[in-house]
Amino acid sequence: MGLFSTAAAAASVAEDKSSAQYALVLSSALVLVSAVALYLKYATAQKKEEAFDLYAPKQRNGTAAPASRNGPKVTVLFGTQTGTAERFANQLSEEINEKYPHATATASDIETYDHASKLAEEELAFFCVATYGDGEPTDSALSFTEWMEDLVKQGDQDGSSPLAALKYGVFALGNTQYEHFCACGKLVDRQLKALGAKQVIDRGEGDDDANIEDDFQAWKEKLWVELDALAEFAPQQNGKAANGHANGIPVTTIKPAKVAEEYKVADAQEASRIWSFDVTAVGPNSPVEAPISERKELHTAKSERSCIHVEIDISATDLTYETGDHGGVYASTPP
């Protein structure tokens, strides 16, 4: 009986040991399979990210160049202290690439840009430069402005114009609370002109004490007009420039009509009666008449901007709306 018990116990131990080994092998296999699955998932995600990168990735010193294009090359250089000039430069380069599909625009930190060997070879360059302290260049732009000043002095002596082939534009950032407003941008603009570079747009100046975002936007709107006028920025069709805007849409020149004088609310209410509507089918193509019940200017007379509050009376219509709905307005032309 004792011998049988010992044999049974030994068999049980062997069976437990075999089960433990089997469980260990199974666990190891599961870990290996999981690791392989995670690797494949990561590799696939990386390939997708590389294949479908719609926008040039942001870099610490600017934006990367888009895929190879056969149009003009544009370099946007920034000298920044707080990051605003860098953000503007990145925005500008991205918008140029979007508006002009055959152009190649990149943004670079003026501190790391090899200006001594590259600037004279550039076709078109824009400078977004901030002013720091008492009208001084930012830390990142200091060596650039000093190098430019040395070239200006050399040009005064020997009459050289090393940047004669360069076209450029400057957007200066500053604050009117300081005595030397946009001094660095003005300095760079002056140096570029002295070295023979050709200005394609008047210097823009952004005031951080007011609305520097609006200042930059207004300058860009002027810039698009100037770029459209340059032959190298014309849209390409079979290697030849096409008539129209750079996005490929044909341009039709329209002479602007004379701007009407300010009309009172009563005049506008009377003028709205010249419309003819199908009241049975109100919609985007069949608007409904509604008089203006109130109109007032929200800005003071001292402001250079305008924002008008208008209330439209729809009590006589069947229109209904909920918060967040959008509405379109078809303004009548006063007689």
Side-chain angles (χ1 to χ4, degrees), residues 236-275:
Q236 304 294 309
Q237 291 183 359
N238 299 325
K240 297 180 180 180
N243 292 328
H245 191 271
N247 59 12
I249 300 175
V251 171
T252 301
T253 303
I254 300 176
K255 293 182 179 179
K258 293 182 178 180
V259 179
E261 296 179 357
E262 191 77 24
Y263 283 86
K264 297 179 180 180
V265 173
D267 295 332
Q269 289 174 341
E270 292 296 324
S272 66
R273 295 178 183 175
I274 66 175
W275 287 98

Side-chain angles (χ1 to χ4, degrees), residues 182-204:
C182 288
C184 183
K186 294 175 181 177
L187 172 63
V188 171
D189 188 17
R190 184 169 62 252
Q191 290 173 330
L192 289 166
K193 287 179 181 177
L195 295 172
K198 299 174 180 62
Q199 189 182 56
V200 298
I201 182 174
D202 292 338
R203 182 183 66 248

Side-chain angles (χ1 to χ4, degrees), residues 57 98 121 209 258:
E98 291 173 4
E121 304 299 322
D209 188 50
K258 293 182 178 180

Side-chain angles (χ1 to χ4, degrees), residues 9-174:
S12 177
V13 170
E15 183 178 354
D16 290 344
K17 184 177 181 181
S18 177
S19 298
Q21 291 176 340
Y22 175 76
L24 179 62
V25 171
L26 181 60
S27 299
S28 300
L30 289 174
V31 170
L32 179 61
V33 170
S34 299
V36 171
L38 287 173
Y39 172 77
L40 292 175
K41 181 178 180 181
Y42 173 78
T44 302
Q46 286 293 98
K47 287 184 178 180
K48 287 183 178 180
E49 183 176 340
E50 293 172 2
F52 298 99
D53 186 10
L54 298 180
Y55 299 97
K58 292 287 194 305
Q59 299 179 349
R60 188 179 182 278
N61 63 339
T63 56
S68 178
R69 300 181 179 188
N70 60 358
K73 304 294 188 294
V74 183
T75 297
V76 185
L77 299 174
F78 59 83
T80 189
Q81 195 72 28
T82 62
T84 304
E86 178 180 3
R87 178 164 56 84
F88 282 179
N90 288 334
Q91 289 177 6
L92 181 58
S93 65
E94 290 171 0
E95 289 182 33
I96 290 175
N97 287 326
E98 291 173 4
K99 289 179 176 291
Y100 304 94
H102 60 295
T104 304
T106 57
S108 300
D109 190 336
I110 205 169
E111 183 176 26
T112 57
Y113 174 77
D114 186 5
H115 43 262
S117 62
K118 289 185 177 181
L119 188 58
E121 304 299 322
E122 299 285 2
E123 302 174 39
L124 176 62
F126 294 107
F127 299 81
C128 296
V129 287
T131 297
Y132 181 67
D134 189 24
E136 302 165 357
T138 61
D139 294 339
S140 61
L142 183 58
S143 62
F144 175 78
T145 55
E146 290 177 345
W147 172 75
M148 291 275 283
E149 196 60 33
D150 289 340
L151 287 184
V152 171
K153 292 178 180 178
Q154 180 180 339
D156 290 340
Q157 295 175 358
D158 59 19
S160 60
S161 300
L163 301 182
L166 176 67
K167 296 176 183 177
Y168 80 95
V170 173
F171 184 80
L173 294 80

